[in-house]
Amino acid sequence: RKEVEQDPGPFNVPEGATVAFNCTYSNSASQSFFWYRQDCRKEPKLLMSVYSSGNEDGRFTAQLNRASQYISLLIRDSKLSDSATYLCVVKRAGNKLVFGAGTILRVKS
Amino acid sequence: NAGVMQNPRHLVRRRGQEARLRCSPMKGHSHVYWYRQLPEEGLKFMVYLQKENIIDESGMPKERFSAEFPKEGPSILRIQQVVRGDSAAYFCASSSLLAGASYEQYFGPGTRLTVT
């Protein structure tokens, strides 16, 4: 079993739709949690950190449930530019990041 | 504020040659990490360095791979006697050590290594 599991998708949605991605992690000692996005063959870019209290940044909302070891990302009012691969990432002690394989999002006009 | 810089962006090597990948962290960052992304796979941690110290190299292959982050200059990932299976994108990331920082890691554009 992978340490970080994501539905690979692809999620094909129309512009303006709301879409949610889920992620589970197996290491209960994981310390911090992030969502990154990766455009084709480019570097991962930090989208947002994820906190137990939940956090929002514009159209993006992230939630963490430590008891269930579950992380989510909600994107409202999808834009064409949101098309990318979304990476669920956990940080272990010692700053090592463990990446999920990613969820592909395609937003269509 | 310049981001993480990596060079070269593309590197072609024949089997048996050496590959040297360079990474300059963001200004003010003292932690450097190397990750590898094989074709159609996720990113995998390789090594974590601070200036003149290797903190964690648990993701490095036991042979042919080495990394350093000298007191002056960029971090270097060295691959000796490259094989076709080394073809991948190698990403460097950096983070801050400032008190209260969340240790968020920011990635460079990567070096795409092709072994022919």
Side-chain angles (χ1 to χ4, degrees):
Chain A
R1 183 188 170 192
K2 293 180 181 176
E3 185 169 341
V4 180
E5 298 259 23
Q6 295 183 251
D7 180 345
F11 286 63
N12 295 302
V13 302
E15 276 185 288
T18 295
V19 61
F21 305 138
N22 304 319
C23 164
T24 57
Y25 62 96
S26 60
N27 189 336
S28 59
S30 299
Q31 296 184 330
S32 304
F33 308 88
F34 309 93
W35 284 100
Y36 281 76
R37 68 172 278 170
Q38 186 174 30
D39 294 275
C40 188
R41 298 180 63 79
K42 294 190 175 179
E43 75 272 24
K45 291 188 177 175
L46 179 64
L47 188 62
M48 56 201 307
S49 301
V50 189
Y51 306 110
S52 297
S53 54
N55 49 303
E56 185 174 311
D57 182 2
R59 299 181 292 108
F60 299 84
T61 301
Q63 294 276 356
L64 166 65
N65 184 320
R66 282 189 183 268
S68 303
Q69 296 182 194
Y70 172 94
I71 307 163
S72 66
L73 177 68
L74 183 78
I75 305 175
R76 289 180 297 278
D77 189 22
S78 299
K79 312 289 185 193
L80 293 174
S81 58
D82 293 334
S83 297
T85 298
Y86 288 81
L87 306 173
C88 177
V89 183
V90 304
K91 186 177 80 68
R92 293 189 198 162
N95 288 349
K96 180 189 302 187
L97 294 185
V98 180
F99 284 79
T103 298
I104 297 171
L105 172 65
R106 297 184 186 135
V107 182
K108 300 187 183 295
S109 58
Chain B
N1 188 11
V4 178
M5 301 181 70
Q6 289 187 249
N7 69 80
R9 296 288 300 275
H10 300 274
L11 183 61
V12 180
R13 285 287 179 265
R14 292 198 182 97
R15 279 180 296 168
Q17 290 184 319
E18 179 179 284
R20 285 198 180 201
L21 288 61
R22 294 175 184 76
C23 169
S24 296
M26 283 179 72
K27 189 175 181 180
H29 285 189
S30 57
H31 299 237
V32 165
Y33 315 81
W34 287 92
Y35 294 83
R36 177 165 67 173
Q37 187 170 31
L38 294 169
E40 308 303 324
E41 293 191 15
L43 279 86
K44 297 285 195 300
F45 169 83
M46 299 181 76
V47 63
Y48 165 29
L49 309 106
Q50 295 179 23
K51 286 282 186 183
E52 299 185 281
N53 282 306
I54 296 175
I55 307 301
D56 180 352
E57 56 181 347
S58 58
M60 289 277 270
K62 293 288 185 280
E63 296 177 350
R64 301 187 298 109
F65 285 72
S66 62
E68 62 177 2
F69 190 13
K71 187 176 180 181
E72 302 291 337
S75 174
I76 307 281
L77 178 68
R78 182 183 293 113
I79 311 171
Q80 295 177 302
Q81 299 175 331
V82 296
V83 300
R84 288 222 173 99
D86 296 333
S87 295
Y90 291 82
F91 291 102
C92 170
S94 71
S95 69
S96 170
L97 183 58
L98 292 175
S102 62
Y103 295 101
E104 293 169 344
Q105 294 182 20
Y106 296 88
F107 283 77
T111 294
R112 275 160 187 80
L113 173 65
T114 301
V115 179
T116 61

